[in-house]
Amino acid sequence: MGVLEKTNETAFEREGPERKKRKIKKEKLIPYLFLLPSLLFVAGFLFYPIATVFYYSVQHYDISAPYYNGFAGLENFVNIFTNDKYFLPSLWNSIKWVVTEVGLQLTFGMILALLLNQTFKLRGLIRAIAFVPWAISGVLASVMWSLMYNEHMGVINDLLMRFGIVDEPQAFLASTSTAFASVVIAELWRGIPFFAITLLASLQSIPEELYEAARVDGANRWKTLIFITLPQLKNTIILTTLLRVVWEFNNVDLIFNLTGGGPSHSTTTLTMYIADLAVHGSNFGYGSALTVISFGILFIFAVIYLKLSRYERE
């Protein structure tokens, strides 16, 4: 072994300084070469579309009116904040939607995770059933809930009438007073398993010694939850709520399929408004400007949220 090391050292010393530098430089370059395909993939499928949206946000680009296309500068943004009567209501609907959904999903997801973390018979089967809504696509969930809300044959109307809660069938998705709440319930059903899965995984990583020490000190379940479980789940809660805020803010499929943003724009969120402008109105320039504003809102929120929550600093 000693002879081999001595031979290698001698061979290395024989190489000139320039050759040694090239060899070291080449060794440092190899990891970046392995990363290059991934970087190209991310650049092509992430950064290029984002850059395109920023480019079109300062353009007049309406395929239904090509004679009007061209550089617009900040005109799209000025029109959004001064002349667009749907921008602020749709932004307010987005805020209501995100706060309601994330708050309720976190609360019920935490309760479900705590229950599934207990030991009981058929726990594996119950866990699998509880996570089923997360695996269902948005379109399929929309079809299922639209049938359940149906005024003429929906199971919800049937149950409410059987229990005497309503006297006649209700058009939940067609009324401005019930449409928003109806869509919230449908998305809540689909979103709870996300928090339940992530929180359950985090619960299982909490050392049992902490709970044993708490029991020795006479702590009840409530104090154990407040002073042990929640602090241990803090980083998971911060990360999952941030991800869920972004996803719910950009949520389109369920709202689009259940109400299409109606009735009377009562369920039109900012993302729904963008989709309506870009897809149906073909006004991609104006829609891109709204998307840039949406991106800015989420970016500022993420920075402030992570700063205030002191994520992974403790």
Side-chain angles (χ1 to χ4, degrees):
M1 186 67 181
V3 175
L4 181 61
E5 289 178 352
K6 189 175 180 179
T7 304
N8 290 336
E9 288 175 1
T10 305
F12 191 73
E13 287 171 356
R14 288 175 183 168
E15 296 176 346
E18 291 299 323
R19 190 173 179 181
K20 291 177 186 175
K21 287 181 181 178
R22 285 198 299 271
K23 187 175 181 181
I24 293 171
K25 192 175 180 180
K26 187 178 179 182
E27 289 176 349
K28 287 183 177 178
L29 192 62
I30 289 175
Y32 296 101
L33 290 175
F34 284 112
L35 289 173
L36 186 59
S38 301
L39 292 175
L40 291 175
F41 184 84
V42 171
F45 289 91
L46 180 62
F47 294 126
Y48 176 72
I50 292 175
T52 303
V53 169
F54 274 85
Y55 169 75
Y56 281 118
S57 69
V58 292
Q59 300 285 327
H60 289 300
Y61 187 66
D62 188 342
I63 59 175
S64 64
Y67 51 88
Y68 190 57
N69 292 346
F71 183 69
L74 298 177
E75 187 178 338
N76 287 329
F77 295 96
V78 173
N79 285 333
I80 289 171
F81 289 107
T82 57
N83 299 322
D84 193 335
K85 63 179 181 180
Y86 296 115
F87 171 65
L88 289 179
S90 61
L91 179 59
W92 175 239
N93 279 340
S94 287
I95 294 171
K96 284 195 302 179
W97 170 261
V98 170
V99 171
T100 307
E101 282 297 340
V102 176
L104 292 177
Q105 288 177 19
L106 174 61
T107 303
F108 287 106
M110 174 69 77
I111 294 172
L112 183 59
L114 291 171
L115 290 174
L116 294 177
N117 197 39
Q118 305 301 314
T119 303
F120 53 87
K121 289 183 179 180
L122 301 177
R123 186 174 67 169
L125 178 63
I126 300 298
R127 282 180 176 179
I129 294 173
F131 299 149
V132 165
W134 182 245
I136 295 178
S137 71
V139 175
L140 183 59
S142 305
V143 173
M144 186 182 71
W145 278 95
S146 65
L147 290 173
M148 292 171 64
Y149 282 132
N150 190 280
E151 183 180 359
H152 305 291
M153 60 179 185
V155 65
I156 294 176
N157 266 309
D158 183 59
L159 289 174
L160 292 177
M161 292 180 68
R162 285 176 185 271
F163 287 105
I165 298 174
V166 296
D167 298 326
E168 56 184 13
Q170 305 292 314
F172 294 105
L173 298 175
S175 170
T176 54
S177 60
T178 58
F180 188 83
S182 301
V183 181
V184 164
I185 292 172
E187 177 64 10
L188 178 63
W189 172 82
R190 194 174 62 150
I192 288 174
F194 168 74
F195 281 103
I197 293 169
T198 51
L199 293 175
L200 178 60
S202 189
L203 278 170
Q204 293 174 344
S205 67
I206 300 176
E208 185 61 29
E209 291 79 9
L210 294 176
Y211 293 109
E212 291 177 359
R215 282 193 290 270
V216 171
D217 291 338
N220 56 29
R221 290 189 175 185
W222 177 250
K223 288 184 177 178
T224 302
L225 174 68
I226 298 297
F227 295 108
I228 294 180
T229 304
L230 291 182
Q232 292 292 321
L233 295 178
K234 179 189 169 186
N235 283 333
T236 303
I237 292 173
I238 292 171
L239 183 61
T240 51
T241 49
L242 178 60
L243 290 174
R244 203 60 189 161
V245 164
V246 174
W247 290 342
E248 290 299 349
F249 192 91
N250 294 322
N251 190 318
V252 172
D253 55 355
L254 201 73
I255 303 173
F256 186 85
N257 287 302
L258 284 179
T259 65
S264 301
H265 298 281
S266 61
T267 60
T268 300
T269 59
L270 184 57
T271 311
M272 266 297 305
Y273 182 41
I274 294 170
D276 191 49
L277 274 174
V279 178
H280 294 152
S282 302
N283 193 347
F284 292 99
Y286 197 78
S288 296
L290 284 167
T291 305
V292 170
I293 293 173
S294 173
F295 174 82
I297 292 171
L298 289 176
F299 181 77
I300 293 170
F301 168 79
V303 172
I304 294 175
Y305 184 67
L306 292 177
K307 186 79 174 177
L308 293 178
S309 62
R310 301 176 65 82
Y311 179 64
E312 284 192 340
R313 289 188 182 179
E314 295 177 359

